[in-house]
Short mmCIF file of all heavy atoms in Angstrom, two decimals:
data_model
loop_
_atom_site.label_atom_id
_atom_site.label_comp_id
_atom_site.label_asym_id
_atom_site.label_seq_id
_atom_site.Cartn_x
_atom_site.Cartn_y
_atom_site.Cartn_z
N ILE A 23 -65.56 112.00 -4.61
CA ILE A 23 -65.58 111.11 -3.45
C ILE A 23 -65.70 109.69 -3.98
O ILE A 23 -66.04 109.48 -5.15
CB ILE A 23 -66.76 111.46 -2.52
CG1 ILE A 23 -66.55 110.87 -1.12
CG2 ILE A 23 -68.11 111.00 -3.11
CD1 ILE A 23 -67.51 111.44 -0.08
N ASP A 24 -65.39 108.71 -3.17
CA ASP A 24 -65.69 107.33 -3.55
C ASP A 24 -66.45 106.66 -2.40
O ASP A 24 -66.35 107.08 -1.25
CB ASP A 24 -64.41 106.55 -3.88
CG ASP A 24 -63.51 106.34 -2.68
OD1 ASP A 24 -63.84 105.50 -1.81
OD2 ASP A 24 -62.45 107.01 -2.61
N CYS A 25 -67.23 105.65 -2.74
CA CYS A 25 -68.03 105.01 -1.70
C CYS A 25 -68.28 103.55 -2.05
O CYS A 25 -68.06 103.11 -3.19
CB CYS A 25 -69.35 105.74 -1.51
SG CYS A 25 -70.44 105.70 -2.94
N ASN A 26 -68.74 102.80 -1.07
CA ASN A 26 -69.15 101.42 -1.27
C ASN A 26 -70.58 101.38 -1.81
O ASN A 26 -71.30 102.38 -1.79
CB ASN A 26 -69.04 100.64 0.03
CG ASN A 26 -67.61 100.56 0.54
OD1 ASN A 26 -67.32 100.95 1.66
ND2 ASN A 26 -66.69 100.06 -0.29
N ARG A 27 -71.01 100.23 -2.27
CA ARG A 27 -72.28 100.09 -2.97
C ARG A 27 -73.47 100.62 -2.17
O ARG A 27 -74.34 101.30 -2.71
CB ARG A 27 -72.52 98.61 -3.33
CG ARG A 27 -73.77 98.37 -4.18
CD ARG A 27 -73.94 96.91 -4.52
NE ARG A 27 -72.83 96.41 -5.30
CZ ARG A 27 -72.74 96.51 -6.62
NH1 ARG A 27 -73.69 97.13 -7.30
NH2 ARG A 27 -71.69 96.02 -7.25
N HIS A 28 -73.52 100.30 -0.88
CA HIS A 28 -74.71 100.66 -0.10
C HIS A 28 -74.88 102.17 0.09
O HIS A 28 -75.96 102.64 0.45
CB HIS A 28 -74.68 99.96 1.26
CG HIS A 28 -73.64 100.48 2.21
ND1 HIS A 28 -72.30 100.19 2.09
CD2 HIS A 28 -73.75 101.29 3.31
CE1 HIS A 28 -71.63 100.78 3.04
NE2 HIS A 28 -72.47 101.45 3.80
N LEU A 29 -73.80 102.94 -0.16
CA LEU A 29 -73.88 104.39 0.01
C LEU A 29 -74.16 105.16 -1.28
O LEU A 29 -74.38 106.37 -1.25
CB LEU A 29 -72.57 104.91 0.62
CG LEU A 29 -72.34 104.55 2.09
CD1 LEU A 29 -70.95 104.98 2.52
CD2 LEU A 29 -73.40 105.18 2.99
N ILE A 30 -74.17 104.45 -2.40
CA ILE A 30 -74.39 105.13 -3.68
C ILE A 30 -75.72 105.90 -3.70
O ILE A 30 -75.74 107.08 -4.10
CB ILE A 30 -74.31 104.13 -4.85
CG1 ILE A 30 -72.88 103.63 -5.02
CG2 ILE A 30 -74.79 104.79 -6.16
CD1 ILE A 30 -72.72 102.55 -6.07
N PRO A 31 -76.84 105.31 -3.28
CA PRO A 31 -78.11 106.07 -3.31
C PRO A 31 -78.06 107.33 -2.47
O PRO A 31 -78.65 108.36 -2.85
CB PRO A 31 -79.13 105.06 -2.76
CG PRO A 31 -78.54 103.73 -3.07
CD PRO A 31 -77.07 103.90 -2.89
N PHE A 32 -77.37 107.29 -1.32
CA PHE A 32 -77.27 108.47 -0.47
C PHE A 32 -76.57 109.61 -1.21
O PHE A 32 -77.05 110.75 -1.22
CB PHE A 32 -76.50 108.13 0.81
CG PHE A 32 -76.16 109.33 1.66
CD1 PHE A 32 -77.11 109.91 2.47
CD2 PHE A 32 -74.88 109.87 1.63
CE1 PHE A 32 -76.80 111.03 3.25
CE2 PHE A 32 -74.56 110.98 2.41
CZ PHE A 32 -75.53 111.56 3.21
N PHE A 33 -75.45 109.31 -1.85
CA PHE A 33 -74.71 110.36 -2.55
C PHE A 33 -75.43 110.81 -3.82
O PHE A 33 -75.33 111.98 -4.21
CB PHE A 33 -73.29 109.90 -2.85
CG PHE A 33 -72.40 109.91 -1.64
CD1 PHE A 33 -72.02 108.73 -1.01
CD2 PHE A 33 -71.96 111.10 -1.09
CE1 PHE A 33 -71.22 108.74 0.11
CE2 PHE A 33 -71.16 111.13 0.04
CZ PHE A 33 -70.79 109.94 0.65
N GLU A 34 -76.17 109.93 -4.44
CA GLU A 34 -76.96 110.34 -5.60
C GLU A 34 -78.03 111.36 -5.18
O GLU A 34 -78.25 112.35 -5.87
CB GLU A 34 -77.61 109.12 -6.25
CG GLU A 34 -76.62 108.25 -7.00
CD GLU A 34 -77.25 107.01 -7.60
OE1 GLU A 34 -78.37 106.64 -7.16
OE2 GLU A 34 -76.64 106.41 -8.50
N ARG A 35 -78.69 111.09 -4.05
CA ARG A 35 -79.69 112.05 -3.56
C ARG A 35 -79.04 113.38 -3.18
O ARG A 35 -79.67 114.43 -3.24
CB ARG A 35 -80.44 111.45 -2.36
CG ARG A 35 -81.33 110.28 -2.70
CD ARG A 35 -82.26 109.93 -1.54
NE ARG A 35 -81.53 109.53 -0.34
CZ ARG A 35 -81.16 108.30 -0.08
NH1 ARG A 35 -81.43 107.31 -0.94
NH2 ARG A 35 -80.51 108.01 1.04
N LEU A 36 -77.79 113.31 -2.78
CA LEU A 36 -77.06 114.52 -2.39
C LEU A 36 -76.71 115.38 -3.60
O LEU A 36 -76.58 116.60 -3.48
CB LEU A 36 -75.78 114.10 -1.65
CG LEU A 36 -75.08 115.11 -0.76
CD1 LEU A 36 -76.01 115.58 0.35
CD2 LEU A 36 -73.84 114.47 -0.15
N GLY A 37 -76.57 114.74 -4.77
CA GLY A 37 -76.23 115.48 -5.98
C GLY A 37 -74.99 114.97 -6.69
O GLY A 37 -74.44 115.64 -7.56
N TYR A 38 -74.53 113.78 -6.34
CA TYR A 38 -73.34 113.19 -6.94
C TYR A 38 -73.72 112.27 -8.10
O TYR A 38 -74.80 111.70 -8.12
CB TYR A 38 -72.55 112.39 -5.91
CG TYR A 38 -71.72 113.21 -4.96
CD1 TYR A 38 -72.32 113.90 -3.91
CD2 TYR A 38 -70.35 113.30 -5.11
CE1 TYR A 38 -71.57 114.67 -3.04
CE2 TYR A 38 -69.58 114.06 -4.24
CZ TYR A 38 -70.20 114.75 -3.21
OH TYR A 38 -69.45 115.51 -2.35
N PHE A 39 -72.77 112.11 -9.04
CA PHE A 39 -72.97 111.25 -10.19
C PHE A 39 -71.79 110.28 -10.33
O PHE A 39 -70.63 110.67 -10.14
CB PHE A 39 -73.07 112.06 -11.48
CG PHE A 39 -74.32 112.87 -11.60
CD1 PHE A 39 -74.35 114.18 -11.11
CD2 PHE A 39 -75.46 112.35 -12.19
CE1 PHE A 39 -75.50 114.94 -11.22
CE2 PHE A 39 -76.61 113.10 -12.30
CZ PHE A 39 -76.64 114.40 -11.82
N SER A 40 -72.09 109.05 -10.69
CA SER A 40 -71.04 108.11 -11.07
C SER A 40 -70.62 108.41 -12.51
O SER A 40 -71.41 108.94 -13.29
CB SER A 40 -71.54 106.67 -10.96
OG SER A 40 -72.03 106.40 -9.67
N TYR A 41 -69.39 108.02 -12.86
CA TYR A 41 -68.91 108.37 -14.19
C TYR A 41 -67.91 107.40 -14.78
O TYR A 41 -67.65 107.41 -15.98
CB TYR A 41 -68.27 109.76 -14.16
CG TYR A 41 -67.06 109.84 -13.25
CD1 TYR A 41 -65.77 109.67 -13.74
CD2 TYR A 41 -67.21 110.05 -11.88
CE1 TYR A 41 -64.67 109.72 -12.91
CE2 TYR A 41 -66.11 110.11 -11.03
CZ TYR A 41 -64.85 109.94 -11.55
OH TYR A 41 -63.76 109.97 -10.71
N CYS A 42 -67.29 106.53 -13.97
CA CYS A 42 -66.25 105.64 -14.52
C CYS A 42 -66.37 104.20 -14.04
O CYS A 42 -65.44 103.42 -14.23
CB CYS A 42 -64.86 106.20 -14.20
SG CYS A 42 -64.43 106.20 -12.43
N GLY A 43 -67.48 103.85 -13.41
CA GLY A 43 -67.66 102.47 -12.95
C GLY A 43 -66.86 102.17 -11.70
O GLY A 43 -66.33 103.06 -11.03
N TRP A 44 -66.76 100.89 -11.39
CA TRP A 44 -66.07 100.46 -10.18
C TRP A 44 -64.56 100.53 -10.36
O TRP A 44 -64.03 100.21 -11.42
CB TRP A 44 -66.48 99.04 -9.81
CG TRP A 44 -67.92 98.96 -9.41
CD1 TRP A 44 -68.97 98.59 -10.19
CD2 TRP A 44 -68.46 99.30 -8.14
NE1 TRP A 44 -70.15 98.67 -9.48
CE2 TRP A 44 -69.87 99.10 -8.21
CE3 TRP A 44 -67.91 99.75 -6.93
CZ2 TRP A 44 -70.72 99.34 -7.14
CZ3 TRP A 44 -68.75 99.98 -5.86
CH2 TRP A 44 -70.13 99.78 -5.97
N ARG A 45 -63.89 100.95 -9.30
CA ARG A 45 -62.43 101.05 -9.30
C ARG A 45 -61.90 100.35 -8.05
O ARG A 45 -62.61 100.19 -7.05
CB ARG A 45 -61.99 102.52 -9.30
CG ARG A 45 -62.51 103.31 -10.49
CD ARG A 45 -61.75 102.99 -11.75
NE ARG A 45 -60.40 103.55 -11.69
CZ ARG A 45 -59.42 103.22 -12.52
NH1 ARG A 45 -59.62 102.30 -13.45
NH2 ARG A 45 -58.23 103.80 -12.42
N PHE A 46 -60.63 99.96 -8.11
CA PHE A 46 -60.03 99.27 -6.95
C PHE A 46 -59.21 100.25 -6.12
O PHE A 46 -58.33 100.94 -6.64
CB PHE A 46 -59.13 98.12 -7.41
CG PHE A 46 -58.48 97.40 -6.26
CD1 PHE A 46 -59.19 96.46 -5.52
CD2 PHE A 46 -57.16 97.67 -5.91
CE1 PHE A 46 -58.59 95.81 -4.45
CE2 PHE A 46 -56.56 97.02 -4.84
CZ PHE A 46 -57.28 96.09 -4.11
N HIS A 47 -59.53 100.30 -4.83
CA HIS A 47 -58.79 101.12 -3.88
C HIS A 47 -57.95 100.19 -3.01
O HIS A 47 -58.45 99.17 -2.50
CB HIS A 47 -59.75 101.92 -3.00
CG HIS A 47 -59.11 102.96 -2.15
ND1 HIS A 47 -58.31 102.65 -1.06
CD2 HIS A 47 -59.11 104.32 -2.23
CE1 HIS A 47 -57.88 103.76 -0.50
NE2 HIS A 47 -58.34 104.78 -1.19
N LYS A 48 -56.67 100.53 -2.83
CA LYS A 48 -55.74 99.63 -2.14
C LYS A 48 -56.10 99.35 -0.69
O LYS A 48 -55.63 98.36 -0.12
CB LYS A 48 -54.32 100.19 -2.23
CG LYS A 48 -54.14 101.56 -1.60
CD LYS A 48 -52.75 102.10 -1.87
CE LYS A 48 -52.55 103.51 -1.33
NZ LYS A 48 -51.22 104.07 -1.66
N GLU A 49 -56.91 100.20 -0.06
CA GLU A 49 -57.32 99.96 1.32
C GLU A 49 -58.76 99.50 1.44
O GLU A 49 -59.10 98.76 2.36
CB GLU A 49 -57.13 101.22 2.16
CG GLU A 49 -55.68 101.58 2.43
CD GLU A 49 -55.54 102.79 3.34
OE1 GLU A 49 -56.00 103.87 2.94
OE2 GLU A 49 -54.97 102.63 4.43
N TYR A 50 -59.62 99.95 0.53
CA TYR A 50 -61.06 99.70 0.69
C TYR A 50 -61.64 98.78 -0.36
O TYR A 50 -62.85 98.54 -0.37
CB TYR A 50 -61.80 101.04 0.68
CG TYR A 50 -61.28 102.00 1.71
CD1 TYR A 50 -60.70 103.21 1.35
CD2 TYR A 50 -61.32 101.67 3.07
CE1 TYR A 50 -60.20 104.08 2.30
CE2 TYR A 50 -60.81 102.53 4.03
CZ TYR A 50 -60.25 103.74 3.64
OH TYR A 50 -59.75 104.60 4.58
N GLY A 51 -60.80 98.26 -1.27
CA GLY A 51 -61.29 97.33 -2.26
C GLY A 51 -62.09 98.02 -3.36
O GLY A 51 -61.72 99.11 -3.82
N SER A 52 -63.19 97.42 -3.77
CA SER A 52 -63.99 97.95 -4.87
C SER A 52 -64.80 99.16 -4.40
O SER A 52 -65.59 99.06 -3.46
CB SER A 52 -64.94 96.86 -5.39
OG SER A 52 -65.65 97.30 -6.52
N VAL A 53 -64.59 100.29 -5.07
CA VAL A 53 -65.29 101.54 -4.70
C VAL A 53 -65.85 102.20 -5.97
O VAL A 53 -65.38 101.94 -7.08
CB VAL A 53 -64.36 102.53 -3.97
CG1 VAL A 53 -63.87 101.94 -2.66
CG2 VAL A 53 -63.19 102.93 -4.87
N MET A 54 -66.84 103.04 -5.77
CA MET A 54 -67.44 103.79 -6.87
C MET A 54 -67.07 105.27 -6.76
O MET A 54 -67.57 105.97 -5.88
CB MET A 54 -68.96 103.65 -6.84
CG MET A 54 -69.69 104.43 -7.94
SD MET A 54 -69.37 103.79 -9.61
CE MET A 54 -70.37 102.30 -9.57
N PRO A 55 -66.19 105.78 -7.61
CA PRO A 55 -65.91 107.22 -7.62
C PRO A 55 -67.14 107.98 -8.11
O PRO A 55 -67.83 107.54 -9.04
CB PRO A 55 -64.74 107.36 -8.59
CG PRO A 55 -64.13 105.99 -8.66
CD PRO A 55 -65.30 105.06 -8.53
N MET A 56 -67.40 109.14 -7.52
CA MET A 56 -68.53 109.97 -7.89
C MET A 56 -68.10 111.43 -7.88
O MET A 56 -67.19 111.80 -7.13
CB MET A 56 -69.71 109.74 -6.94
CG MET A 56 -70.13 108.30 -6.80
SD MET A 56 -71.54 108.04 -5.68
CE MET A 56 -72.89 108.56 -6.75
N PHE A 57 -68.76 112.25 -8.71
CA PHE A 57 -68.43 113.67 -8.70
C PHE A 57 -69.68 114.51 -8.47
O PHE A 57 -70.80 114.10 -8.78
CB PHE A 57 -67.72 114.08 -9.99
CG PHE A 57 -68.62 114.27 -11.20
CD1 PHE A 57 -69.21 115.49 -11.48
CD2 PHE A 57 -68.87 113.20 -12.05
CE1 PHE A 57 -70.02 115.66 -12.59
CE2 PHE A 57 -69.68 113.36 -13.16
CZ PHE A 57 -70.26 114.60 -13.44
N HIS A 58 -69.45 115.71 -7.95
CA HIS A 58 -70.53 116.64 -7.62
C HIS A 58 -70.17 118.00 -8.18
O HIS A 58 -69.20 118.62 -7.75
CB HIS A 58 -70.71 116.72 -6.11
CG HIS A 58 -71.67 117.75 -5.63
ND1 HIS A 58 -72.98 117.80 -6.06
CD2 HIS A 58 -71.52 118.78 -4.76
CE1 HIS A 58 -73.59 118.82 -5.45
NE2 HIS A 58 -72.73 119.42 -4.68
N ALA A 59 -70.92 118.46 -9.19
CA ALA A 59 -70.74 119.81 -9.72
C ALA A 59 -71.48 120.75 -8.78
O ALA A 59 -72.71 120.80 -8.77
CB ALA A 59 -71.30 119.89 -11.13
N VAL A 60 -70.74 121.51 -7.99
CA VAL A 60 -71.35 122.26 -6.88
C VAL A 60 -72.28 123.36 -7.35
O VAL A 60 -73.15 123.82 -6.59
CB VAL A 60 -70.27 122.85 -5.95
CG1 VAL A 60 -69.36 121.76 -5.41
CG2 VAL A 60 -69.45 123.93 -6.66
N ASP A 61 -72.13 123.80 -8.62
CA ASP A 61 -72.94 124.93 -9.10
C ASP A 61 -74.23 124.49 -9.80
O ASP A 61 -74.93 125.33 -10.36
CB ASP A 61 -72.11 125.80 -10.05
CG ASP A 61 -71.67 125.04 -11.30
OD1 ASP A 61 -71.49 123.81 -11.21
OD2 ASP A 61 -71.49 125.67 -12.35
N ALA A 62 -74.56 123.22 -9.75
CA ALA A 62 -75.82 122.75 -10.35
C ALA A 62 -76.97 123.03 -9.40
O ALA A 62 -77.66 122.13 -8.92
CB ALA A 62 -75.72 121.27 -10.68
N VAL A 63 -77.18 124.29 -9.11
CA VAL A 63 -78.10 124.71 -8.05
C VAL A 63 -79.54 124.32 -8.36
O VAL A 63 -80.25 123.78 -7.50
CB VAL A 63 -77.98 126.22 -7.80
CG1 VAL A 63 -78.94 126.64 -6.68
CG2 VAL A 63 -76.55 126.60 -7.43
N SER A 64 -80.01 124.60 -9.57
CA SER A 64 -81.38 124.26 -9.93
C SER A 64 -81.62 122.76 -9.86
O SER A 64 -82.69 122.29 -9.45
CB SER A 64 -81.72 124.78 -11.34
OG SER A 64 -81.73 126.19 -11.36
N TYR A 65 -80.63 122.00 -10.27
CA TYR A 65 -80.73 120.54 -10.20
C TYR A 65 -80.86 120.08 -8.74
O TYR A 65 -81.68 119.21 -8.43
CB TYR A 65 -79.51 119.90 -10.84
CG TYR A 65 -79.40 118.41 -10.61
CD1 TYR A 65 -80.24 117.53 -11.28
CD2 TYR A 65 -78.49 117.90 -9.70
CE1 TYR A 65 -80.15 116.17 -11.06
CE2 TYR A 65 -78.40 116.55 -9.46
CZ TYR A 65 -79.23 115.68 -10.14
OH TYR A 65 -79.15 114.33 -9.91
N LEU A 66 -80.08 120.67 -7.86
CA LEU A 66 -80.17 120.31 -6.45
C LEU A 66 -81.55 120.61 -5.90
O LEU A 66 -82.10 119.86 -5.09
CB LEU A 66 -79.11 121.06 -5.64
CG LEU A 66 -77.64 120.75 -5.96
CD1 LEU A 66 -76.72 121.60 -5.10
CD2 LEU A 66 -77.34 119.28 -5.77
N GLU A 67 -82.14 121.72 -6.36
CA GLU A 67 -83.49 122.06 -5.92
C GLU A 67 -84.50 121.04 -6.46
O GLU A 67 -85.37 120.57 -5.71
CB GLU A 67 -83.86 123.46 -6.40
CG GLU A 67 -85.26 123.89 -5.98
CD GLU A 67 -85.64 125.26 -6.50
OE1 GLU A 67 -84.93 125.78 -7.39
OE2 GLU A 67 -86.64 125.81 -6.02
N GLN A 68 -84.39 120.70 -7.72
CA GLN A 68 -85.32 119.75 -8.33
C GLN A 68 -85.31 118.40 -7.63
O GLN A 68 -86.34 117.77 -7.46
CB GLN A 68 -84.97 119.55 -9.81
CG GLN A 68 -85.30 120.70 -10.72
CD GLN A 68 -84.97 120.38 -12.17
OE1 GLN A 68 -84.82 119.22 -12.55
NE2 GLN A 68 -84.84 121.42 -12.97
N THR A 69 -84.12 117.95 -7.25
CA THR A 69 -83.99 116.61 -6.67
C THR A 69 -84.14 116.60 -5.15
O THR A 69 -84.13 115.53 -4.55
CB THR A 69 -82.62 116.01 -7.03
OG1 THR A 69 -81.58 116.90 -6.61
CG2 THR A 69 -82.51 115.80 -8.53
N GLY A 70 -84.29 117.77 -4.55
CA GLY A 70 -84.50 117.83 -3.10
C GLY A 70 -83.26 117.59 -2.28
O GLY A 70 -83.36 117.19 -1.11
#
């Protein structure tokens, strides 16, 4: 997924990680791509 700066903490709490820095999206400008490894179950439990 990608998001604007103010949403990064929300997705981090959800279980997403940034990995390549800021990128330019032709419609939304500067965005932060993030990835979520869905099988990191214990990690999701640890982080709530």
Side-chain angles (χ1 to χ4, degrees):
I23 198 167
D24 67 74
C25 64
N26 297 124
R27 185 179 298 275
H28 70 285
L29 289 173
I30 291 175
F32 171 79
F33 285 106
E34 288 177 342
R35 292 192 298 272
L36 200 60
Y38 282 76
F39 291 90
S40 304
Y41 62 95
C42 67
W44 294 98
R45 301 284 289 166
F46 179 79
H47 190 290
K48 60 187 177 183
E49 289 183 298
Y50 305 117
S52 185
V53 297
M54 179 67 75
M56 306 181 78
F57 78 89
H58 173 56
V60 303
D61 62 331
V63 180
S64 293
Y65 170 74
L66 296 179
E67 180 182 13
Q68 287 182 19
T69 56

